[in-house]
Amino acid sequence: MDITKFSAGDAVKQIKNKEISVLELTDSYLNRIKEVDDRVKAFIQVDAEGARARARELDGSTVNELGGGLPIAIKDNINLIGAPTTCASKILKNYRPVYNAHVIEKLIRGDAVFIGKTNLDEFAMGSSTENSSFGPTHNPWDIERVPGGSSGGSAAAIAAREALWAIGSDTGGSIRQPAAFCGVVGLKPTYGLVSRYGLVAFASSLDQIGPITKTVDDSALLLSIIAGHDRRDSTSLDYEIPDYLANPNSNLSDLKVGLPIELFSESFDEGVKVSVKKAIEILEKKGAKIEETSLSSIEYALSTYYIIAPAEASSNLSRYDGVRYGFRSNDNSDIIEMYKDSRSGGFGQEVKRRIMLGTYALSAGYYDAYYGKAQKVRTMIIEDFKSAFSKYDVLISPTTPTTAFKKGEKTSDPLQMYLSDICTIPANLAGIPAISIPCGLSDNLPVGLQIMADHYGEATLFKVAKELEEEIGFSDIPEL
Amino acid sequence: MAVSKKDVEHVALLARLRLSEEEVEIFTNQLSQILEHAGKISQLETLEVESTTHPLPVKNVYREDVVKESLSKDDALLNAPEIESGAFKVPKII
């Protein structure tokens, strides 16, 4: 039996009943990595020895029943002591973290087995995991295609069964878009539900850590492990985390679903439209009330995002100055020249582009027209969502306009690349939770369905997603 | 709004980036294109709209002003490219 097929729930039971050991489970994933990762390239580093040692240690004790003993992959922009945090950037190539992220502390307490760090677009900036100084990750469904990004390594690792579950981060869709492209489940929680302490900052008002998993139940379990207040992140919500694992009432007859017309463009792929439509029909058959609705301001979400996110990034990335950590150019006697050479030598093209964009939007004479204006439009977007959620329990859309695109297809045209996040960006601007689940295949490539709920609406997302998951029965696994 | 080469060179200095001639050329075009798209938001009437500072209603977080354990000096210097006498070393400033 191939034990890498187990969901988290199954694996937990098997470990508890001593039918498999943590070491066996860990070894099966390590073997799988050995077998397929030269083709997928999901990982930047694999810690086989550390994972095995941890597994043996856990086998000798009573393992935490809430997901303990399960091999997990961590996106390489999250600090885990013992492994470098590279952010897939030359500038942090040898960076050794001196503290653990809050999510890592929680996972350690939950008896997790850390199997490795996964590839990403440099500093999480990108939608294809092609902007990595370690080279691109390939989509397990078709290795000529991208896995999406920026958490492309984590999503590909789950699709290729190289880890039981994974952690990603989502600033404009970086969990959901790769989850959609790889046929797995990706959740961006409510902003502040999971502490950002130890996550390398990209755009602080948008960044959120979340789970990438095989199933909706796994997503709920992993979220319940990592969510919770942390005083070291001042935007962390002081909120009592509900029991996401409680069996929800599966009756959808009083569910009200809104379909934002702005996220159902005629120009989207036919295959995407067909699969999403089928999923909506399932909900309708189960008695949910479905209605088209308009959130007119979200037409401006992409524009707003590509001002706010680079502006925050340009400020956050000013810390890479070659003084305290990171790459330093050594042939300078002048400090300004040293800053310039270190930063230009250490950052890749997309990161430079966003720093330039953000610095421009924040510079004297342009601040009001760009950054100031964008912060106001963001308010309009939040208000549109508030008003939509006064009428609907959830909003549903495709996660992405297309299925996974070919490598190199969009690398020369940044605007085209940015457009692939058009359906996912609104949730980040509004700080609301959103989940992507696989809803079918189009030309043997997975299609993602996005469900959004109001702030703190994770339990509702899980309930609807789980019903759909059962009815759709997506169980395909890519052949590698 | 079109971005000029001069704008790009000025912004590169503000951002402490050294760009090659070719990069200046590319960024001038790409920034113009991206900002033209992003400039769509100028069509919206926002006179009566407040700016978002946070997507959820939260309050400022304070803590008691007491000394707590922090990073050790060794840890703080662990990743430093150059160290001298227990301090970060940089090129001469004055």
Side-chain angles (χ1 to χ4, degrees), chain A residues 435-448:
Chain A
I435 194 168
S436 176
I437 60 166
C439 69
L441 288 175
S442 165
D443 289 330
N444 204 40
L445 293 171
V447 175

Side-chain angles (χ1 to χ4, degrees), chain A residues 34-187:
Chain A
K34 224 186 247 169
E35 195 184 305
V36 300
D37 206 53
D38 59 335
R39 275 167 287 159
V40 179
K41 300 205 183 300
F43 286 90
I44 289 177
Q45 323 149 46
V46 176
D47 182 14
E49 236 171 83
R52 283 207 185 94
R54 174 85 169 147
R56 278 194 205 97
E57 192 183 289
L58 290 171
D59 277 330
S61 65
T62 316
V63 181
N64 189 321
E65 283 178 29
L66 203 71
L70 309 188
I72 191 163
I74 306 291
K75 187 177 182 179
D76 202 15
N77 60 349
I78 292 169
N79 283 345
L80 166 62
I81 289 177
T85 307
T86 70
C87 290
S89 179
K90 192 179 157 195
I91 213 161
L92 283 179
K93 195 175 155 200
N94 300 311
Y95 179 78
R96 284 181 287 168
V98 290
Y99 62 93
N100 277 326
H102 185 244
V103 289
I104 298 296
E105 290 174 350
K106 289 221 157 207
L107 285 163
I108 291 172
R109 281 202 291 276
D111 290 343
V113 175
F114 299 101
I115 201 162
K117 305 284 297 279
T118 53
N119 201 10
L120 64 153
D121 287 295
E122 184 179 358
F123 284 101
M125 297 178 190
S127 311
S128 66
T129 317
E130 289 169 293
N131 307 327
S132 162
S133 70
F134 296 92
T137 295
H138 311 303
N139 191 316
W141 290 85
D142 175 355
I143 55 169
E144 296 305 316
R145 291 175 189 270
V146 304
S150 64
S151 311
S154 285
I158 302 312
R161 303 295 185 249
E162 296 177 80
L164 195 141
W165 52 13
I167 295 288
S169 69
D170 189 316
T171 304
S174 281
I175 287 174
R176 290 159 287 154
Q177 186 254 22
F181 280 10
C182 293
V184 297
V185 176
L187 170 77

Side-chain angles (χ1 to χ4, degrees), chain A residues 94-99 190-191 205 231 234-235 237 299-300 302-304 306-307 322-328 330 332-341 343-344 347 349 352-353 355-357 359-361 363 366 369-370 372-380 382-383 412-415 418-419 428-431 455-456, chain B residues 1-4 7-20 22-24 26-28 30-63 68 71-72 74-83 88-93:
Chain A
N94 300 311
Y95 179 78
R96 284 181 287 168
V98 290
Y99 62 93
T190 301
Y191 180 80
S205 81
R231 59 175 179 77
S234 60
T235 60
L237 298 165
E299 278 199 49
Y300 298 89
L302 190 76
S303 298
T304 305
Y306 275 99
I307 293 168
V323 174
R324 290 154 300 160
Y325 39 71
F327 173 77
R328 163 140 164 200
N330 262 330
N332 302 102
S333 54
D334 178 271
I335 188 131
I336 303 284
E337 299 306 308
M338 189 276 280
Y339 290 153
K340 282 196 202 166
D341 285 339
R343 289 164 64 76
S344 301
F347 290 137
Q349 273 309 98
K352 286 185 202 169
R353 183 158 37 244
I355 291 174
M356 290 291 293
L357 199 53
T359 307
Y360 182 88
S363 65
Y366 300 104
Y370 289 107
K373 186 82 178 181
Q375 290 289 55
K376 290 188 171 189
V377 178
R378 187 173 181 182
T379 304
M380 295 169 77
I382 294 171
E383 282 169 1
S412 61
D413 189 346
L415 193 55
Y418 298 169
L419 282 164
N428 297 81
L429 289 169
H455 296 140
Y456 306 108
Chain B
M1 185 190 314
V3 178
S4 69
D7 290 334
V8 167
E9 281 160 0
H10 170 65
V11 170
L13 175 66
L14 292 178
R16 299 290 186 258
L17 289 172
R18 186 185 309 290
L19 301 181
S20 66
E22 198 196 343
E23 282 177 315
V24 171
I26 293 171
F27 284 158
T28 303
Q30 290 179 341
L31 259 51
S32 296
Q33 200 194 353
I34 296 163
L35 287 166
E36 193 192 313
H37 189 274
K40 262 182 32 181
I41 58 172
S42 64
Q43 302 162 2
L44 286 169
E45 175 55 60
T46 52
L47 217 58
E48 310 268 301
V49 183
E50 293 279 326
S51 292
T52 296
T53 49
H54 199 278
L56 280 93
V58 290
K59 291 191 295 273
N60 205 358
V61 181
Y62 297 101
R63 64 165 176 81
K68 282 189 177 167
L71 276 190
S72 70
D74 285 346
D75 277 351
L77 292 169
L78 183 72
N79 288 285
E82 233 182 309
I83 306 168
F88 299 107
K89 193 178 174 190
V90 294
K92 200 168 151 189
I93 296 171

